[in-house]
Amino acid sequence: MASLKKSMSFSLMGILAVNCLILTALWVQEATALPVTSHCKIDESDFQRPYFINRTFMLAEEASFADNNTDVRLIGDELFQGVKMQDRCYLMKEILNFTLGEVLIPQSDRFQPHMQEVVSFLTKLSSQLSSCHISGNGQRIQKNIQTLKETVKQLGEGGEIKVIGELNLLFMFLRNSCV
Amino acid sequence: MCGFLQFPLLSCLLTERNTGLQTGTLATMMLKLYFLGFLIKSLLTIGIETQPAHGSLKPRNVQFQSRNFHNILRWQPGSFFTGNGSVYFVQYKMYGQRQWKNKTDCWGTTALFCDLTNETLDLYEPYYGRVMTARAGSYSAWSMTPRFTPWWETKLDPPAVTTVPVNGSLLVLLRAPELPYRNRKGNNTSTENYYNLVYRVFVIDKLVEKEQKAYEGTQRTVQIEGLTPRSGYCIVAEIYRPMLGRKSPRSERRCVQMP
């Protein structure tokens, strides 16, 4: 009887200990997870740079004159469909990197002199987001990004012009998602 | 001989023909030139216009003019007419939408403008407007505006300034120009925050005409202290938009004599 009681209390202790371990593990995980997501942030002061903001809008305006496809828009609310608030900055980061790598840098000999300055400004924003990741697998996010990339591809050169014409939207969406 | 007048290619052709025939006087040559020039010009026009017969009806310079976020579409009559007897039809849409919407208030208007403020209330959204004319039963093609983003394009008027002397200091009351009613998210934020505007107040010492910035911020009431009694001061203000680094023109000076 005594041994039974002893083993019971022992197992109770065991359960408690395991619980404690799980809790600690969870807490540790949360603690490590938090800083990772908080890297998805751009300082507000980076969006208070009139010189670069004006250049970005001027470049977008110039490119938009050459874009007569008014029905198709790349950066809009559809991009966020099914995407949680906290993942939106990550999504915008991916689009920013796509824009820089696949469109702006290859096209950088065009739309001078604004292009050069806008590229350096956006590169700076992109570097602030270099360690921005998401915790989940982000299937939905990848799908939305893929849709945008495919639209750009389908439109050919018109697609790249469209990306440049929407740099002002990219900028505003980055601001709304990452500040 | 080649490359004179405004139709270089044409004048070359013509010169060759004329030298071949050895007959054309200068006058007939010029006449032919002008006629051919006219032909080429019309051919070019036909190439550009989608509806050749009504190309000249098409409204010109269709664009938004935005002041204090009031967005007015403006245009000019087609090139061959003064506009008398023409009626205009206006449509608008947000960039990315497929459907154009009719602006019923400006559907068949004879005016050369149309207020689209309520249709373009989202500051950061890009919009388009377009105008078509009808005259004596024929319709023109649509003329479209460039992409229009209110936040980027609007021009602000200066704030209205009132000054009230209070015990040796000066109370400055600021009022932004009338900005359209915001029916979206902006309801619980102030106009200043919603539109991202700050006031700048400057004090000018009348004796030395020296100007100093006394305030920059979103408050509508500003108290200026440390003014010398029995001195004259003028207050002037402007609206500043920090993200764009743009400022409104300055308000009128409000001058006071301190007691």
Side-chain angles (χ1 to χ4, degrees), chain A residues 5 21 56 76 98 115 117 127 130 138 141 144 147 154 163 174:
Chain A
K5 205 175 176 181
L21 261 171
T56 307
F98 164 74
M115 181 62 97
E117 296 183 290
S127 71
S130 58
I141 296 175
N144 292 4
T147 311
Q154 272 172 19
V163 171
L174 266 171

Side-chain angles (χ1 to χ4, degrees), chain A:
Chain A
M1 193 66 187
S3 69
L4 189 72
K5 205 175 176 181
K6 198 179 171 188
S7 78
M8 256 182 77
S9 73
F10 185 75
S11 65
L12 201 73
M13 285 282 279
I15 289 167
L16 269 173
V18 167
N19 272 347
C20 219
L21 261 171
I22 291 172
L23 275 174
T24 320
L26 275 174
W27 180 76
V28 168
Q29 202 182 26
E30 202 175 16
T32 51
L34 262 174
V36 169
T37 46
S38 71
H39 279 308
C40 291
K41 202 169 174 9
I42 299 177
D43 203 64
E44 183 155 20
S45 62
D46 283 304
F47 292 98
Q48 304 276 3
R49 296 173 185 277
Y51 180 82
F52 289 107
I53 296 172
N54 278 297
R55 292 296 168 290
T56 307
F57 271 73
M58 279 149 89
L59 176 58
E61 190 173 45
E62 207 181 317
S64 78
F65 293 143
D67 177 17
N68 42 27
N69 182 346
T70 63
D71 297 351
V72 177
R73 173 169 170 177
L74 304 166
I75 296 179
D77 290 334
E78 281 106 64
L79 216 50
F80 290 154
Q81 247 167 38
V83 179
K84 285 185 240 147
M85 282 302 245
Q86 64 262 35
D87 292 336
R88 289 182 176 180
C89 184
Y90 172 78
L91 179 126
M92 289 315 298
K93 169 207 165 164
E94 292 291 296
I95 291 171
L96 172 63
N97 288 346
F98 164 74
T99 303
L100 274 166
E102 308 287 318
V103 181
L104 297 190
I105 291 167
Q107 293 259 8
S108 57
D109 52 330
R110 296 182 65 186
F111 297 108
Q112 292 297 354
H114 301 320
M115 181 62 97
Q116 202 181 338
E117 296 183 290
V118 172
V119 165
S120 73
F121 175 52
L122 293 180
T123 306
K124 214 167 181 182
L125 294 184
S126 159
S127 71
Q128 282 209 35
L129 294 172
S130 58
S131 47
C132 164
H133 301 288
I134 40 161
S135 35
N137 63 2
Q139 258 184 359
R140 188 61 203 251
I141 296 175
Q142 291 312 327
K143 196 182 147 247
N144 292 4
I145 295 167
Q146 205 48 43
T147 311
L148 180 140
K149 288 182 181 172
E150 274 161 22
T151 312
V152 174
K153 206 182 236 169
Q154 272 172 19
L155 294 170
E157 213 213 344
E160 303 198 340
I161 296 292
K162 193 172 269 298
V163 171
I164 302 170
E166 293 192 23
L167 283 176
N168 55 342
L169 295 171
L170 174 76
F171 175 81
M172 293 314 299
F173 271 63
L174 266 171
R175 178 174 181 263
N176 292 344
S177 312
C178 299
V179 168

Side-chain angles (χ1 to χ4, degrees), chain B residues 24-25 49 65 77 92 114-115 157 177 180 226 251:
Chain B
T25 62
E49 301 283 355
Q65 278 177 15
Y92 64 93
C114 177
D115 189 343
D157 283 338
S251 69

